[in-house]
Each structure stands twice: as structure tokens, then as C-alpha cells.
Short mmCIF file of all heavy atoms in Angstrom, two decimals:
data_model
loop_
_atom_site.label_atom_id
_atom_site.label_comp_id
_atom_site.label_asym_id
_atom_site.label_seq_id
_atom_site.Cartn_x
_atom_site.Cartn_y
_atom_site.Cartn_z
N GLY A 95 38.38 80.21 -70.28
CA GLY A 95 38.29 78.80 -70.06
C GLY A 95 39.64 78.19 -69.81
O GLY A 95 40.70 78.75 -70.13
N TRP A 96 39.65 77.04 -69.11
CA TRP A 96 40.83 76.23 -68.90
C TRP A 96 40.63 74.88 -69.52
O TRP A 96 39.55 74.26 -69.44
CB TRP A 96 41.10 76.03 -67.38
CG TRP A 96 41.70 77.25 -66.69
CD1 TRP A 96 41.01 78.22 -65.97
CD2 TRP A 96 43.07 77.62 -66.61
NE1 TRP A 96 41.88 79.13 -65.49
CE2 TRP A 96 43.13 78.78 -65.88
CE3 TRP A 96 44.24 77.07 -67.13
CZ2 TRP A 96 44.37 79.45 -65.58
CZ3 TRP A 96 45.44 77.74 -66.90
CH2 TRP A 96 45.50 78.89 -66.13
N PHE A 97 41.68 74.39 -70.25
CA PHE A 97 41.62 73.11 -70.93
C PHE A 97 42.90 72.35 -70.72
O PHE A 97 43.95 72.95 -70.40
CB PHE A 97 41.40 73.36 -72.47
CG PHE A 97 40.09 74.00 -72.79
CD1 PHE A 97 39.96 75.39 -72.79
CD2 PHE A 97 38.98 73.22 -73.15
CE1 PHE A 97 38.79 76.04 -73.12
CE2 PHE A 97 37.80 73.86 -73.48
CZ PHE A 97 37.68 75.22 -73.43
N ARG A 98 42.83 71.08 -70.92
CA ARG A 98 44.03 70.26 -70.98
C ARG A 98 43.89 69.23 -72.08
O ARG A 98 42.79 68.85 -72.46
CB ARG A 98 44.22 69.55 -69.60
CG ARG A 98 43.13 68.56 -69.23
CD ARG A 98 43.28 68.11 -67.78
NE ARG A 98 42.30 67.13 -67.39
CZ ARG A 98 42.14 66.61 -66.19
NH1 ARG A 98 42.89 67.11 -65.17
NH2 ARG A 98 41.26 65.69 -65.96
N PRO A 99 45.01 68.79 -72.69
CA PRO A 99 44.94 67.90 -73.88
C PRO A 99 44.24 66.55 -73.56
O PRO A 99 44.32 66.06 -72.46
CB PRO A 99 46.41 67.66 -74.23
CG PRO A 99 47.13 68.81 -73.65
CD PRO A 99 46.37 69.16 -72.38
N ALA A 100 43.58 66.10 -74.58
CA ALA A 100 42.96 64.75 -74.52
C ALA A 100 43.14 64.09 -75.91
O ALA A 100 43.04 64.76 -76.92
CB ALA A 100 41.53 64.89 -74.18
N PRO A 101 43.37 62.75 -75.92
CA PRO A 101 43.54 62.06 -77.18
C PRO A 101 42.38 62.24 -78.11
O PRO A 101 41.21 62.06 -77.78
CB PRO A 101 43.69 60.58 -76.76
CG PRO A 101 44.19 60.64 -75.38
CD PRO A 101 43.50 61.85 -74.77
N GLY A 102 42.69 62.61 -79.41
CA GLY A 102 41.68 62.76 -80.44
C GLY A 102 40.78 63.99 -80.30
O GLY A 102 39.82 64.10 -81.03
N LYS A 103 41.07 64.83 -79.37
CA LYS A 103 40.30 66.05 -79.14
C LYS A 103 41.18 67.27 -79.06
O LYS A 103 42.36 67.18 -78.73
CB LYS A 103 39.47 65.87 -77.85
CG LYS A 103 38.53 64.71 -77.84
CD LYS A 103 37.92 64.43 -76.51
CE LYS A 103 37.08 65.58 -76.03
NZ LYS A 103 36.42 65.31 -74.70
N GLU A 104 40.58 68.39 -79.33
CA GLU A 104 41.38 69.65 -79.25
C GLU A 104 41.77 69.99 -77.81
O GLU A 104 42.78 70.59 -77.61
CB GLU A 104 40.56 70.81 -79.83
CG GLU A 104 40.29 70.68 -81.34
CD GLU A 104 39.57 71.87 -81.90
OE1 GLU A 104 39.23 72.85 -81.13
OE2 GLU A 104 39.26 71.87 -83.12
N GLY A 105 40.94 69.59 -76.88
CA GLY A 105 41.26 69.84 -75.49
C GLY A 105 40.13 69.35 -74.62
O GLY A 105 38.98 69.41 -74.97
N GLU A 106 40.48 68.86 -73.43
CA GLU A 106 39.51 68.43 -72.44
C GLU A 106 39.07 69.69 -71.64
O GLU A 106 39.88 70.31 -71.01
CB GLU A 106 40.04 67.36 -71.54
CG GLU A 106 39.09 66.92 -70.44
CD GLU A 106 39.67 65.95 -69.48
OE1 GLU A 106 40.93 65.82 -69.46
OE2 GLU A 106 38.94 65.32 -68.71
N PHE A 107 37.79 69.88 -71.65
CA PHE A 107 37.26 71.04 -70.90
C PHE A 107 37.49 70.83 -69.40
O PHE A 107 37.23 69.79 -68.85
CB PHE A 107 35.78 71.21 -71.16
CG PHE A 107 35.14 72.26 -70.22
CD1 PHE A 107 35.41 73.59 -70.44
CD2 PHE A 107 34.29 71.84 -69.22
CE1 PHE A 107 34.81 74.52 -69.59
CE2 PHE A 107 33.71 72.76 -68.37
CZ PHE A 107 33.99 74.10 -68.57
N VAL A 108 37.98 71.90 -68.73
CA VAL A 108 38.22 71.86 -67.30
C VAL A 108 37.25 72.81 -66.61
O VAL A 108 36.46 72.37 -65.72
CB VAL A 108 39.66 72.25 -66.95
CG1 VAL A 108 39.81 72.36 -65.43
CG2 VAL A 108 40.63 71.30 -67.53
N ALA A 109 37.22 74.06 -67.01
CA ALA A 109 36.36 75.01 -66.35
C ALA A 109 36.29 76.32 -67.23
O ALA A 109 37.13 76.55 -67.99
CB ALA A 109 36.82 75.36 -64.94
N CYS A 110 35.22 77.05 -67.02
CA CYS A 110 35.09 78.36 -67.72
C CYS A 110 34.35 79.34 -66.83
O CYS A 110 33.67 78.93 -65.92
CB CYS A 110 34.47 78.21 -69.09
SG CYS A 110 32.72 77.68 -69.09
N ILE A 111 34.49 80.64 -67.19
CA ILE A 111 33.89 81.64 -66.39
C ILE A 111 33.51 82.78 -67.34
O ILE A 111 34.21 83.13 -68.29
CB ILE A 111 34.86 82.11 -65.23
CG1 ILE A 111 34.19 83.10 -64.34
CG2 ILE A 111 36.14 82.73 -65.87
CD1 ILE A 111 35.02 83.39 -63.07
N THR A 112 32.37 83.44 -67.07
CA THR A 112 31.89 84.52 -67.90
C THR A 112 32.75 85.77 -67.59
O THR A 112 33.49 85.86 -66.66
CB THR A 112 30.42 84.86 -67.59
OG1 THR A 112 30.25 85.10 -66.18
CG2 THR A 112 29.55 83.68 -68.00
N GLY A 113 32.62 86.78 -68.50
CA GLY A 113 33.41 88.00 -68.39
C GLY A 113 33.18 88.66 -67.06
O GLY A 113 34.14 89.26 -66.45
N SER A 114 32.01 88.68 -66.54
CA SER A 114 31.64 89.32 -65.28
C SER A 114 32.10 88.51 -64.06
O SER A 114 32.22 89.03 -62.97
CB SER A 114 30.14 89.57 -65.17
OG SER A 114 29.42 88.36 -65.07
N GLY A 115 32.34 87.24 -64.29
CA GLY A 115 32.68 86.33 -63.16
C GLY A 115 31.52 85.84 -62.41
O GLY A 115 31.68 85.08 -61.44
N ARG A 116 30.31 86.18 -62.81
CA ARG A 116 29.11 85.76 -62.05
C ARG A 116 28.71 84.30 -62.32
O ARG A 116 27.96 83.69 -61.52
CB ARG A 116 27.94 86.66 -62.39
CG ARG A 116 28.10 88.14 -61.98
CD ARG A 116 26.89 88.93 -62.24
NE ARG A 116 25.71 88.43 -61.51
CZ ARG A 116 24.49 88.92 -61.63
NH1 ARG A 116 24.26 89.86 -62.52
NH2 ARG A 116 23.51 88.38 -60.93
N ASN A 117 29.12 83.76 -63.48
CA ASN A 117 28.74 82.38 -63.85
C ASN A 117 29.96 81.55 -64.13
O ASN A 117 30.89 82.00 -64.83
CB ASN A 117 27.82 82.38 -65.05
CG ASN A 117 26.52 83.18 -64.76
OD1 ASN A 117 26.37 84.30 -65.26
ND2 ASN A 117 25.58 82.52 -64.08
N THR A 118 29.99 80.32 -63.57
CA THR A 118 31.08 79.42 -63.84
C THR A 118 30.52 78.06 -64.21
O THR A 118 29.39 77.71 -63.85
CB THR A 118 31.98 79.28 -62.59
OG1 THR A 118 31.20 78.81 -61.50
CG2 THR A 118 32.62 80.61 -62.27
N TYR A 119 31.32 77.25 -64.86
CA TYR A 119 30.93 75.92 -65.24
C TYR A 119 32.16 75.02 -65.18
O TYR A 119 33.25 75.41 -65.61
CB TYR A 119 30.35 75.89 -66.62
CG TYR A 119 29.69 74.57 -66.98
CD1 TYR A 119 28.41 74.28 -66.55
CD2 TYR A 119 30.38 73.62 -67.78
CE1 TYR A 119 27.80 73.06 -66.88
CE2 TYR A 119 29.75 72.44 -68.11
CZ TYR A 119 28.51 72.16 -67.66
OH TYR A 119 27.92 70.96 -67.96
N PHE A 120 32.03 73.81 -64.70
CA PHE A 120 33.10 72.86 -64.49
C PHE A 120 32.73 71.52 -65.15
O PHE A 120 31.60 71.14 -65.20
CB PHE A 120 33.40 72.65 -62.96
CG PHE A 120 33.74 73.85 -62.27
CD1 PHE A 120 32.77 74.63 -61.65
CD2 PHE A 120 35.07 74.24 -62.09
CE1 PHE A 120 33.06 75.75 -60.96
CE2 PHE A 120 35.39 75.37 -61.39
CZ PHE A 120 34.37 76.13 -60.79
N ALA A 121 33.83 70.82 -65.57
CA ALA A 121 33.61 69.45 -65.95
C ALA A 121 33.08 68.68 -64.75
O ALA A 121 33.56 68.88 -63.64
CB ALA A 121 34.95 68.83 -66.43
N ASN A 122 32.07 67.81 -64.98
CA ASN A 122 31.46 67.14 -63.88
C ASN A 122 32.40 66.35 -63.00
O ASN A 122 32.26 66.38 -61.72
CB ASN A 122 30.36 66.18 -64.39
CG ASN A 122 29.12 66.89 -64.92
OD1 ASN A 122 28.85 68.01 -64.55
ND2 ASN A 122 28.42 66.23 -65.84
N SER A 123 33.42 65.76 -63.55
CA SER A 123 34.37 64.98 -62.81
C SER A 123 35.27 65.82 -61.91
O SER A 123 35.96 65.29 -61.01
CB SER A 123 35.19 64.08 -63.69
OG SER A 123 35.93 64.82 -64.63
N LEU A 124 35.28 67.10 -62.15
CA LEU A 124 36.26 67.98 -61.44
C LEU A 124 35.58 69.01 -60.51
O LEU A 124 36.27 69.72 -59.83
CB LEU A 124 37.12 68.76 -62.44
CG LEU A 124 37.92 67.89 -63.49
CD1 LEU A 124 38.59 68.80 -64.45
CD2 LEU A 124 38.91 67.02 -62.74
N LYS A 125 34.29 68.98 -60.45
CA LYS A 125 33.53 70.00 -59.69
C LYS A 125 33.93 70.06 -58.23
O LYS A 125 34.02 71.15 -57.65
CB LYS A 125 32.04 69.75 -59.81
CG LYS A 125 31.42 70.13 -61.11
CD LYS A 125 29.87 69.91 -61.04
CE LYS A 125 29.22 70.35 -62.34
NZ LYS A 125 27.74 70.12 -62.31
N CYS A 126 34.27 68.93 -57.63
CA CYS A 126 34.57 68.90 -56.23
C CYS A 126 36.01 69.29 -55.88
O CYS A 126 36.32 69.52 -54.72
CB CYS A 126 34.28 67.51 -55.67
SG CYS A 126 32.56 67.00 -55.72
N ARG A 127 36.86 69.35 -56.91
CA ARG A 127 38.26 69.57 -56.66
C ARG A 127 38.84 70.88 -57.27
O ARG A 127 39.81 71.39 -56.79
CB ARG A 127 39.10 68.42 -57.13
CG ARG A 127 38.73 67.09 -56.48
CD ARG A 127 39.77 66.00 -56.82
NE ARG A 127 39.76 65.64 -58.22
CZ ARG A 127 40.78 65.84 -59.08
NH1 ARG A 127 41.91 66.36 -58.64
NH2 ARG A 127 40.69 65.48 -60.33
N PHE A 128 38.28 71.31 -58.37
CA PHE A 128 38.81 72.50 -59.11
C PHE A 128 37.85 73.67 -58.95
O PHE A 128 36.63 73.52 -58.96
CB PHE A 128 38.97 72.16 -60.61
CG PHE A 128 40.13 71.23 -60.92
CD1 PHE A 128 40.74 70.48 -59.88
CD2 PHE A 128 40.62 71.19 -62.19
CE1 PHE A 128 41.77 69.62 -60.21
CE2 PHE A 128 41.68 70.33 -62.50
CZ PHE A 128 42.22 69.56 -61.52
#
């Protein structure tokens, strides 16, 4: 996974990927750019 800091939180989720690479997930606000 990729994260970046956010106030009051451990980290803002950016994106993640399974071990095989077959499945990915993105923060909704970043889907079009990252």
C-alpha cells in the first residue's frame, strides 16, 4: 500500500495492490490520476 499523512489519522490511503498484482484499489479522489 501507499499512504500519506493526514491530520488525526495514521495515514491517508492512496492505493494498494495484492501480492499477485491482479487486484488494485485506489482512493476515490485519486483514481483518475494515480
Side-chain angles (χ1 to χ4, degrees):
W96 285 96
F97 297 85
R98 63 190 185 188
K103 299 170 64 177
E104 293 183 1
E106 178 186 14
F107 171 73
V108 175
C110 64
I111 187 169
T112 57
S114 67
R116 294 185 62 186
N117 299 102
T118 59
Y119 190 81
F120 301 88
N122 288 334
S123 62
L124 303 175
K125 284 183 177 179
C126 296
R127 300 191 295 115
F128 287 18

